[in-house]
Amino acid sequence: ANYEAGIKATPFAVVLDHAWQSVVVTIRGSQSIDDFLSDLALTPVELDKCSQKYSFDGAGKFAHMGMLGSAEWITDDLLRVRVLEKLLSDEGAEYKNYKLRIVGHSLGAGAGSLVALFLKHKFPQVRAVVFEPPGCTMSWNLAEESNEWCTSFVTGMDVVTRFNEKSVFVLRNEIITNLARIRVPKHVVMNKRNIDGFGIDAVKEFLSDALYPHNEIPDSPFVKSVRTFIEKTRSKENVVGLHIPGKIIHLASESFSLDVDKDKSETSDKAEVARDEETGGSDSVKKEDTREYQTCWAKREDFQYIVLSSHFLTDHLTSTICSAFQGRMKAAGLSEPYSDVLE
């Protein structure tokens, strides 16, 4: 294990999972200030230079600067101490028949998907199994390529898995656009949100009454300034978009599903409705989360936009993920360590 932490240094450990016959490299998620600084390094970096170092084709492929730095640091440390070779490939290695798995959560998930890429030359059978990876991990072409060696798990409406430069700009633009759309005093909106039993039908009705349709927003100096601001900031977006890695398994709440409209003009309204539809109204936010989940393969396109929900932050927590997994495993009649799926 290496517990060093810094801008690039990310704590990780190598463990043996005998039940699953795997050598596991597990990578910690964001915890320190340095970790959050790494998270915020959104600039896409081309992989042509590090591809020469790790023997893969990185031309025209990009990764998140912060996660790339963490992945390189971890890979270099693993190769320096040769722990994986000693366990898996050296003459006389005790665990030659074991699989190599890279796992991680959040920042550790994004870095883990890249570590697997960097190790593929020496360990062709390596696979990354990552939980709640950021939606700004790698470019689309590399994300599609990573389907071969990476599987991502996403719980509910987790905001981190939908977080990328485009989704942040879209959310910001929706917020300021809705300020221009609103046709009732702001205090009416705030008071309405606190009414008990304010459920899905009431939300739809209130949004219809409170907001101008997009094509009927009256002109005003504020509306003009909003439109000018949005147009100016579009030119500042990075040309290369970053996305969630690998094949994606979504643990979605059975009580809710939301198809993200390709036309973003209605997404704000849907997100507001989503919050109360999924929770059963504002009153139920106070209740214990007893959601049940269904698992399904998801498309990368499903995670292009942030969906506002009462638990879009808590869905990222490891406790939520564990609860969702345990519920699904029990429903399938499995028990820990769940290795009976191998039989």
Side-chain angles (χ1 to χ4, degrees):
N2 191 328
Y3 300 113
E4 185 179 346
I7 298 295
K8 290 186 177 182
T10 302
F12 71 94
V14 179
V15 299
L16 295 173
D17 185 341
H18 297 298
W20 284 77
Q21 296 188 338
S22 299
V23 173
V24 180
V25 179
T26 177
I27 306 171
R28 195 191 73 182
S30 301
Q31 182 171 317
S32 66
I33 293 177
D34 288 333
D35 294 335
F36 291 115
L37 289 175
S38 294
D39 293 338
L40 293 173
L42 279 169
T43 305
V45 176
E46 190 168 9
L47 301 183
D48 53 344
K49 290 185 179 179
C50 74
S51 66
Q52 300 172 23
K53 182 179 180 181
Y54 302 117
S55 302
F56 70 92
D57 180 14
K61 299 166 186 173
F62 295 78
H64 179 287
M65 177 188 290
M67 283 175 264
L68 175 60
S70 296
E72 287 191 87
W73 183 86
I74 292 168
T75 305
D76 290 346
D77 196 58
L78 287 169
L79 296 177
R80 176 180 60 83
V81 299
R82 299 191 73 256
V83 62
L84 299 180
E85 289 89 341
K86 293 173 184 177
L87 291 169
L88 293 166
S89 60
D90 281 353
E91 185 176 352
E94 188 175 352
Y95 302 102
K96 282 190 175 182
N97 62 325
Y98 274 35
K99 300 177 288 290
L100 175 58
R101 296 292 179 261
I102 315 296
V103 302
H105 171 258
S106 193
L107 169 65
S113 65
L114 293 169
V115 170
L117 170 64
F118 298 162
L119 291 174
K120 275 182 65 63
H121 177 68
K122 296 200 72 171
F123 303 94
Q125 302 306 314
V126 64
R127 296 290 182 271
V129 181
V130 296
F131 303 88
E132 318 299 328
C136 53
T137 299
M138 55 183 63
S139 56
W140 184 275
N141 55 353
L142 182 56
E144 287 290 293
E145 181 181 311
S146 71
N147 287 347
E148 299 178 8
W149 39 265
C150 178
T151 301
S152 295
F153 288 87
V154 176
T155 307
M157 296 293 126
D158 180 7
V159 64
V160 174
T161 58
R162 296 167 170 81
F163 184 91
N164 56 57
E165 188 177 52
K166 180 179 179 180
S167 69
V168 171
F169 279 157
V170 168
L171 180 61
R172 179 205 63 191
N173 293 345
E174 288 176 351
I175 291 172
I176 60 176
T177 298
N178 280 342
L179 289 175
R181 291 179 62 199
I182 196 165
R183 53 184 171 188
V184 298
K186 308 296 187 295
H187 70 84
V188 174
V189 178
M190 299 307 297
N191 290 337
K192 196 74 172 176
R193 296 288 289 178
N194 295 325
I195 294 178
D196 289 341
F198 190 41
I200 179 65
D201 293 333
V203 172
K204 290 179 178 178
E205 181 179 354
F206 180 69
L207 288 176
S208 176
D209 294 337
L211 299 176
Y212 288 107
H214 281 271
N215 59 354
E216 296 179 14
I217 302 175
D219 282 331
S220 70
F222 176 70
V223 171
K224 291 179 180 178
S225 66
V226 166
R227 289 170 178 163
T228 300
F229 173 78
I230 291 174
E231 287 302 318
K232 283 184 178 180
T233 54
R234 278 178 181 164
S235 63
K236 298 181 180 180
E237 295 183 30
N238 286 315
V239 176
V240 177
L242 298 177
H243 306 272
I244 189 171
K247 294 182 292 187
I248 305 165
I249 296 178
H250 190 200
L251 285 83
S253 171
E254 291 185 348
S255 62
F256 173 72
S257 64
L258 176 68
D259 292 327
V260 177
D261 205 323
K262 300 301 182 184
D263 179 5
K264 293 302 295 173
S265 64
E266 298 181 2
T267 303
S268 294
D269 301 354
K270 291 187 177 183
E272 287 299 314
V273 172
R275 175 195 175 277
D276 286 286
E277 180 174 333
E278 189 168 10
T279 62
S282 60
D283 183 55
S284 65
V285 175
K286 304 172 186 176
K287 299 178 182 178
E288 182 181 354
D289 183 4
T290 57
R291 290 174 293 160
E292 294 184 357
Y293 295 85
Q294 58 183 344
T295 51
C296 60
W297 290 106
K299 298 177 181 178
R300 220 173 309 282
E301 296 93 323
D302 297 338
F303 301 91
Q304 295 300 297
Y305 302 104
I306 294 170
V307 180
L308 299 182
S309 164
S310 61
H311 45 78
F312 75 139
L313 295 176
T314 56
D315 278 348
H316 188 68
L317 300 178
T318 52
S319 57
T320 304
I321 303 164
C322 288
S323 177
F325 264 94
Q326 289 169 353
R328 292 305 301 153
M329 293 300 184
K330 289 178 181 178
L334 302 173
S335 58
E336 294 185 14
Y338 308 124
S339 56
D340 37 358
V341 301
L342 301 174
E343 298 175 357

